[in-house]
Each structure stands twice: as structure tokens, then as C-alpha cells.
Amino acid sequence: MGTKDKLISVVDLVKEYNGGTVKALDHCSLDISKGEVVAIIGPSGSGKSTFLRSLNLLETPTSGAVYFEGINLADKKVDINLHRRRMGMVFQHFNLFPHKTVMENIMMAPVHLKLMTKEEAEKKAVELLERIGLADKKNEYPNRLSGGQKQRIAIVRALAMEPDVMLFDEPTSALDPEMVGEVLDMIRDLAKAGMTMVIVTHEMGFAREVASRVVFMADGNIREDAPPQELFGNPKDERLKDFLAKVL
């Protein structure tokens, strides 16, 4: 089962909609070890986001298991909220609270969940903002920030919880092209620092450069799983070859 060096172990995951007529995930299995950066690529509607959202049970699987540090999150007896704290999630559309300042957005969860005192959370927030060069924005409201800044704040907000893994659902797809770089740079720095990450992305060059493994999904299946050099340089699956011919 979920062994120790495996941070996440997905076993035979199925997700069906409309009483089984739509199979969003069709018997998917994947292991993710500590320190790995796994990029998930594939055409629209291939199940990438559903798979990612199943890792912390934002999507409840129809069947199968998701082990996180050896515990099956799909088990009804498990307190999923306790485990979600250890899994930072960053969405396409920032999801910052518009009526709270940048600092309040970052401090809210650690203080509310009593993981840190207000002082500790404030110190952590300033530290993280300094690291990404946005300390001068700490008292701004989200509507005063660019899309790239909002997404970087959303990442910092997830990091403030000191998670064991970061899950990114197409973190750059809602951004203007000139802002994509600043968000990818931040994710690149996290990778260098050894953060375990699972990233659903359309940015092939980034996947090739930053990921330690790339997973290709199509029709709810994991069709190929290989180091980036191999997956991009010598694809084996016909559907993957077809996909790469269109996007590269």
C-alpha cells in the first residue's frame, strides 16, 4: 500500500458522472515520491484537473484509493480537512478574498486553524512576500494587483500553511502572456528548493524544463508516464505523438 517514500499513491482511481455514462477517470494509478515535480499534460477534457482535484478529495472518487503518507483519504473515517492542510492547492483563478488585504489573505488560514499565532503568521507572511519581491503590496487589496501578482500571492497563501505537497491546477492559464513568466519563475524556485509538486499545465516548455516526470492523460487514462526528455523526445503512445505534433 502507500509506502513511506511515496508521498502520494493513487490506486485504480475511477470517477464517473451521470450514473456511470461519463468516465472522467478510468482506472488511474500513479505514485508520487517526496521531492518529485510531476507535470500532467494532455488535451482538454482528458481528466487532468479531475485527477488533480481527486488527490485532496475536492473530487470524490467513484472507486479506488488515494493514499497520502500511507493513509487512504477516500476512507470515510479519515478527517480529510486535517490532510488538506498539508496539501497546498493553487487554482486557475487565484480565489483570493477581495475584501481582505494581501496580508490578511495569507494569514487567515494558519491563524484560523490555530496553527500559528497572529504574530507568527504575520512574520511568515512578510518573509514569504519578501522572498517573491511583493512585500510592498502587503496592505493592498487584490483588485489593485496584476493577474501575475495575484497568482503569486495565491501561491504564497498556500505556502504559509507549510504544506508537504503543492497542487497546481493550470496556474498560468488565466494570465496574460507577459505575466506567465513571473509565476513560472516562482514555481521553478520551489522546485529547486525541493518542494513536492503536481502541476496540471499547458506550458510544454516549462513541463520539459522543471518536471522530474511528465504524465500524459487522454480520455480519463494515464497513457504515458516518463522523464521529460523521454516523453517529449521519444513518445511511445500514438495519442501522445498526435498531441505533441499539435502543441509543440
Side-chain angles (χ1 to χ4, degrees):
M1 288 302 162
T3 51
K4 280 294 170 249
D5 61 321
K6 303 271 184 283
L7 192 62
I8 299 173
S9 203
V10 179
V11 184
D12 212 21
L13 206 62
V14 174
K15 176 67 180 178
E16 295 171 342
Y17 296 104
N18 300 346
T21 53
V22 178
K23 256 201 168 83
L25 297 175
D26 190 5
H27 299 281
C28 295
S29 295
L30 189 71
D31 287 334
I32 297 158
S33 298
K34 225 172 171 34
E36 275 196 299
V37 178
V38 178
I40 302 177
I41 63 167
S44 288
S46 59
K48 306 183 299 291
S49 288
T50 306
F51 182 80
L52 187 83
R53 291 165 66 86
S54 298
L55 296 181
N56 64 358
L57 258 63
L58 285 179
E59 294 280 356
T60 310
T62 306
S63 64
V66 179
Y67 292 93
F68 176 54
E69 297 182 325
I71 290 161
N72 183 6
L73 300 186
D75 183 337
K76 296 280 184 283
K77 294 191 288 290
V78 167
D79 180 351
I80 186 62
N81 291 321
L82 277 177
H83 297 281
R84 279 197 188 129
R85 293 176 192 178
R86 319 267 295 283
M87 304 169 106
M89 181 99 189
V90 178
F91 301 91
Q92 231 166 331
H93 297 286
F94 332 128
N95 292 9
L96 295 173
F97 295 106
H99 58 290
K100 294 193 177 293
T101 64
V102 164
M103 280 294 275
E104 288 167 341
N105 263 286
I106 297 167
M107 290 166 59
M108 195 173 149
V111 173
H112 177 68
L113 295 168
K114 301 191 168 41
L115 302 177
M116 295 179 192
T117 63
K118 196 162 176 276
E119 292 68 35
E120 286 167 341
E122 200 166 329
K123 184 168 179 268
K124 180 88 183 163
V126 170
E127 216 171 88
L128 287 165
L129 287 170
E130 278 171 355
R131 200 160 96 196
I132 62 164
L134 289 178
D136 59 329
K137 303 287 183 201
K138 66 181 187 182
N139 297 319
E140 296 281 8
Y141 287 89
N143 66 354
R144 301 286 305 275
L145 305 173
S146 72
Q149 288 170 335
K150 281 182 203 166
Q151 193 56 299
R152 283 151 67 204
I153 298 299
I155 295 171
V156 159
R157 184 178 61 178
L159 288 173
M161 293 289 291
E162 301 181 336
D164 296 334
V165 59
M166 288 284 283
L167 309 175
F168 292 92
D169 192 4
E170 296 184 18
T172 58
S173 61
L175 299 178
D176 294 333
E178 69 270 21
M179 289 171 188
V180 168
E182 61 192 53
V183 173
L184 294 183
D185 281 346
M186 187 173 172
I187 298 174
R188 207 177 266 119
D189 289 344
L190 286 173
K192 284 187 193 135
M195 174 62 81
T196 310
M197 293 188 276
V198 187
I199 308 166
V200 171
T201 184
H202 289 296
E203 307 280 340
M204 296 302 135
F206 176 72
R208 179 182 253 164
E209 177 206 344
V210 174
S212 42
R213 273 163 67 204
V214 180
V215 170
F216 172 69
M217 289 187 72
D219 309 316
N221 296 121
I222 292 175
R223 303 286 284 261
E224 199 152 328
D225 171 5
Q229 304 81 323
E230 198 181 310
L231 186 131
F232 289 108
N234 184 22
K236 294 172 186 59
D237 182 81
E238 288 307 318
R239 190 72 203 279
L240 172 57
K241 289 177 189 173
D242 180 49
F243 174 73
L244 292 177
K246 290 191 176 90
V247 297
L248 291 181

